[in-house]
Amino acid sequence: MNGRGARAPTRAAVLERIRGTASWDVVVIGGGATGLGCAVDAAARGHSVLLVEAQDFAKGTSSRATKLIHGGVRYLAQGNLALVRESLGERTRLLANAPHLVRPLRFVVPAYRWQDKPMLGAGLRLYDLLAGSHGIGRSRGLDPAHALAALPTLRSTGLRGGIAYWDAQFDDARLALSLARTVFDLGGVALNYCAAEGLALDAQGRRLTGVVLHDAESGERLQVAARVVINAAGVWSDAVRRLARPGAAALLRPSQGVHLVVARDFLPGDDALLVPRTDDGRVLFMIPWQGSVLIGTTDTPRPDLPLEPAPLPGEVDFILATAACYLTRAPTRADVRSVFVGLRPLLGAGDAALTRQLSREHLVEVSPEGLVSVLGGKWTTYRLMAADAVDAAESVGRLPRHASPTANLPLHGAAPGVVTDGYGSDRAELDSLPGAGRPLVDGLDLTEAQVRYAARAEFARHVEDVLARRHRALFVDAALAAAAAPAVAGILAQELGRDAAWEAAEIASFAALARAYRV
């Protein structure tokens, strides 16, 4: 699936199509992993589909993950073997369907007590067994010398060896963009910066008939008709459920995960490090990512739902202190180049104070009014969540029933032989644009061509869209991202036809945002 050229439909053309469509089979609310997955699934089944997102695609949780497509060693320890097996199968499908965005990654789990190595080995052999034919590579034991060869900066004192095993890594925001472009490839429509302000009901107030939209750029309000509406708003899904039924009880208990990014020399090499049990019983990852090292994460209850969540007191210090126990050189606050926080849509079961006990499995709910809500889950299983939601939507909307075809559906940019560079088969189009190969600022690999491509083909409307999600500069090094903002604003102003006042406002807005990503 190579797409339809470098320039996607203009925003004006998309809005015109929305105005000109009498009724959609499916309207999806939410442009994160689950919503985009639902739109792809429904469009792949032949339904007419409109997806709307109030902010940018993947602005929320779906760009703030730990960048892993994995079975979940943590869920193995909890005894949730069904979720692990399911996730490992989806890992294989994503490696096949999005090879430009997902790649295998080896992890090393160090052992410092004599009993750790056999226990870890037994658990990870079970992980291999659950993967079955979906395995990437077998886990194996490492002696201290081989563990240190894989992780040269691992603390050697007391090291008894370790276990190596395989999972996969991805670029979450760019996978979301690939899904958005796949929606268009399949004949659907997806629009960012267009909020679902309300739900339309029939004359009796009993059945859902459509959605009231608000275009953030023009201020225009539109009412669109739909045979069925899917609520895939992530951590904000309870708020959408209450648009249909104001008294609906909350089904989610969100938590937040903090991630720190430091220089690559804290963990050189190609392998990741897994701390299987922190002081509070969680896991901690240290992962090579974007030329840096990502360390995380926490899992802290969060009753409020800010669009830009910040670390809570103690979270950054907890991560740094845990990393210091395993590395020869302890990272400090001064070493942190970016800190980002994601909210998890955990299903509300168990003790809310112990979010590690809450479920990462998903739930599909159909309200009496016919709103289909898909709740919970994680990036790895987004496709299964979408398939279940669209199955329910076909029943509610009395649409023709089709089996989901997405298990073997290559996503936009996938093609035989592509490299894992984030662009895949679109690379040639990108490289044909002005400024290809010329970085905008020293220290970042972001080029003028990438900014132009983001505006023309990837729905970017603001400087943040480019520096946070089309490129990952904000998440890798907030100071460098801020330094690049003026150049990005100037290029976007040309591409989008904006004036100097817009350009200045964008630079100021992004500078304030970047400050929030520093500790």
Side-chain angles (χ1 to χ4, degrees), residues 287-368:
I287 303 166
W289 181 66
Q290 299 276 332
S292 300
V293 176
L294 185 155
I295 309 176
T297 179
T298 57
D299 203 351
T300 310
R302 183 95 197 210
D304 59 338
L305 299 174
L307 194 58
E308 283 290 344
L312 297 171
E315 287 189 302
V316 170
D317 291 334
F318 168 80
I319 293 174
L320 291 173
T322 303
C325 294
Y326 290 86
L327 300 178
T328 55
R329 182 162 69 96
T332 68
R333 281 179 168 263
D335 296 309
V336 177
R337 296 178 173 181
S338 183
V339 54
F340 64 91
V341 183
L343 299 177
R344 300 185 184 94
L346 302 180
L347 291 175
D351 183 351
L354 295 173
T355 56
R356 63 185 180 274
Q357 295 179 357
L358 300 184
S359 177
R360 293 307 297 271
E361 295 179 89
H362 67 274
L363 168 72
V364 176
E365 177 204 57
V366 178
S367 76

Side-chain angles (χ1 to χ4, degrees), residues 21 58 81 85 91 142 170 230 238 251 261-262 269 307 336 371 409 473 479 482 486:
T21 301
L81 303 188
R85 183 185 293 109
R91 183 187 69 182
L142 302 176
F170 77 130
I230 297 177
D238 279 333
L251 294 177
V261 178
V262 298
L307 194 58
V336 177
L371 177 66
L409 176 70

Side-chain angles (χ1 to χ4, degrees), residues 231 235-244 305:
N231 165 23
V235 293
W236 297 279
S237 292
D238 279 333
V240 176
R241 291 174 58 242
R242 289 175 183 135
L243 293 177
L305 299 174

Side-chain angles (χ1 to χ4, degrees), residues 44-59:
R45 300 189 198 201
H47 304 310
S48 63
V49 179
L50 168 63
L51 177 144
V52 292
E53 163 58 44
Q55 303 293 325
D56 188 23
F57 299 123
K59 160 72 175 178

Side-chain angles (χ1 to χ4, degrees), residues 252-283:
L252 297 175
R253 290 185 185 172
S255 76
Q256 75 171 26
V258 175
H259 305 80
L260 310 181
V261 178
V262 298
R264 185 64 178 271
D265 58 9
F266 281 97
L267 192 73
D270 297 325
D271 293 322
L273 187 158
L274 169 66
V275 176
R277 186 176 179 84
T278 62
D279 288 344
D280 63 352
R282 300 182 175 117
V283 300

Side-chain angles (χ1 to χ4, degrees), residues 68-73 84 87-88 91-92 95 103-109 124-125 127-128 131 134-140 142 163-169 270-272 274 285:
L68 298 179
I69 297 295
H70 60 143
V73 172
V84 174
S87 299
L88 290 169
R91 183 187 69 182
T92 296
L95 284 164
R103 68 176 187 89
L105 178 65
R106 194 176 80 148
F107 287 78
V108 173
V109 189
L124 290 168
R125 281 193 295 274
Y127 202 63
D128 294 339
H134 296 297
I136 298 172
R138 290 289 179 186
S139 61
R140 68 185 186 94
L142 302 176
I163 305 292
Y165 75 98
W166 289 88
D167 255 321
Q169 183 178 43
D270 297 325
D271 293 322
L274 169 66
F285 295 101

Side-chain angles (χ1 to χ4, degrees), residues 166-188:
W166 289 88
D167 255 321
Q169 183 178 43
F170 77 130
D171 187 325
D172 48 7
R174 291 206 60 81
L175 181 54
L177 290 171
S178 178
L179 288 167
R181 297 196 68 184
T182 304
V183 172
F184 281 94
D185 293 343
L186 295 169

